[in-house]
Amino acid sequence: MFYLYRRRKLGNGTCRAIQQYLKTNHNVGSVILRNDQPTPVFTEDDVLLRWGCTSNVHGPGKILNLGSHIHNTSDKCEFREHLQLTHPNIVPITWFDYDDLNITYPCILRHKFHAQGKHLWFCTDPDQLQDAIFAHAELYHTDDFYISEYIPKVAEYRVCFIQNKVAWIAQKIPANPNAVAWNVAQGGKFINVRWKDWPINVIDAALLAHKEGKLFLSGVDVMVDMDNKPYVLEINSAPSHTSPYRQASVAACLAWCVKNNTWYNLPLNTNYNKYLRHLHPGLLK
């Protein structure tokens, strides 16, 4: 059996939609479990995809999106530091000590756990930076923040990977293009990007981050500057799927995995140079 294991208050609509597409479009059965409810002992034939959930499970079933990998990517500070060490050219320059004399201004201050564009402060000088940190000292430790160089962006994308292959790409259209954080939860929208319009340089950068995150399924946020250079911002283990197209695309990829009993990461299709190089085989008819 294939299971979707979600955290309470996370992914209910997305998981139910994917479940329905699996059944209706692909004749694949699935079960949704919630981490605050009893779970079965999983057998060797069971496959469980964690949807942002790190709770313990029991039995020898195959687990996708391991809890340790979800934890590592959810700590945005730790994962940004890891990417800066492994792939410094795909992330904005980032500092982890607010006393670092190399910090350039303006800069962005972020808490290591954040979502929906929250816990973000735009700082134009050292005084603003220290004020922002100490204003929240009662809630957080000072080492719970990281400082990122500010890069004006002209576009931002989310790339959803399954098995190192792309299931969908959406472009963020902000309510206010001058806002620092382009977050759909604070206004704006996602628009789906057609295969032939996929920005390959964005995919290439996002794939490096996805591989470092070691997740089976992830959504990687990437911004592009005025020189068309991509910068990875963060990675999500339970990316939002508010569009029927995105829900159906993920269901098609998961159905392919079920029917082929293939859950390992897939290589690039080196016979192609553009989108077919990255496209998940579950999307091909």
Side-chain angles (χ1 to χ4, degrees):
M1 177 60 69
F2 177 68
Y3 294 89
L4 290 162
Y5 189 36
R6 71 178 185 87
R7 193 173 76 229
R8 182 175 179 267
K9 296 185 178 180
L10 178 68
N12 181 41
T14 292
C15 289
R16 290 188 179 280
I18 291 173
Q19 181 186 51
Q20 187 60 46
Y21 280 115
L22 282 169
K23 179 180 178 181
T24 303
N25 294 8
H26 306 283
N27 196 30
V28 171
S30 61
V31 175
I32 298 174
L33 302 174
R34 210 170 73 188
N35 72 324
D36 63 336
Q37 298 175 342
T39 57
V41 176
F42 299 102
T43 70
E44 292 182 352
D45 295 327
D46 293 327
V47 179
L48 183 145
L49 172 58
R50 292 179 178 274
W51 200 265
C53 172
T54 59
S55 300
N56 292 331
V57 295
H58 305 285
K62 184 171 185 58
I63 308 299
L64 309 173
N65 277 13
L66 295 179
S68 59
H69 297 158
I70 292 176
H71 175 78
N72 290 341
T73 54
S74 296
D75 187 327
K76 312 298 185 183
C77 178
E78 180 179 299
F79 192 64
R80 176 68 72 86
E81 187 170 15
H82 175 76
L83 285 181
Q84 185 156 271
L85 289 172
T86 56
H87 301 289
N89 292 329
I90 69 167
V91 292
I93 299 172
T94 308
W95 302 271
F96 306 94
D97 180 355
Y98 65 87
D99 286 326
D100 194 320
L101 298 177
N102 295 309
I103 297 173
T104 59
Y105 295 89
C107 66
I108 305 296
L109 175 69
R110 300 225 70 175
H111 187 258
K112 66 179 181 179
F113 296 115
H114 62 256
Q116 299 182 339
K118 300 175 182 177
H119 300 103
L120 179 151
W121 299 271
F122 179 77
C123 304
T124 60
D125 56 49
D127 290 337
Q128 277 196 356
L129 177 61
Q130 297 221 6
D131 288 347
I133 291 174
F134 289 111
H136 302 87
E138 293 184 359
L139 295 177
Y140 312 115
H141 298 292
T142 55
D143 59 356
D144 285 342
F145 300 93
Y146 64 96
I147 301 113
S148 177
E149 70 171 320
Y150 171 67
I151 300 173
K153 58 188 170 185
V154 299
E156 185 173 338
Y157 299 89
R158 176 165 291 173
V159 185
C160 180
F161 290 100
I162 295 177
Q163 298 177 291
N164 287 358
K165 306 291 278 188
V166 178
W168 55 262
I169 297 178
Q171 184 174 359
K172 293 184 180 182
I173 305 299
N176 176 13
N178 296 317
V180 176
W182 290 8
N183 192 276
V184 175
Q186 298 184 17
K189 60 184 179 180
F190 274 123
I191 59 170
N192 299 315
V193 181
R194 300 171 67 90
W195 294 354
K196 292 184 179 181
D197 296 327
W198 280 1
I200 303 303
N201 63 329
V202 168
I203 298 175
D204 290 338
L207 180 58
L208 292 174
H210 170 77
K211 288 181 176 180
E212 292 297 330
K214 300 179 181 179
L215 294 168
F216 171 84
L217 181 152
S218 80
V220 184
D221 289 345
V222 184
M223 61 163 277
V224 177
D225 70 8
M226 62 183 65
D227 296 320
N228 198 35
K229 177 176 172 54
Y231 295 88
V232 172
L233 300 176
E234 62 186 61
I235 186 169
N236 304 278
S237 63
S240 174
H241 285 67
T242 54
S243 155
Y245 169 78
R246 297 193 286 275
Q247 296 161 356
S249 296
V250 166
C253 297
L254 295 177
W256 182 90
C257 295
V258 172
K259 292 178 179 180
N260 290 277
N261 193 27
T262 300
W263 303 99
Y264 52 81
N265 288 330
L266 301 173
L268 291 176
N269 188 338
T270 55
N271 293 324
Y272 300 95
N273 292 322
K274 296 186 178 180
Y275 72 92
L276 285 172
R277 187 180 183 91
H278 295 280
L279 187 70
H280 193 283
L283 300 175
L284 294 172
K285 295 182 180 179

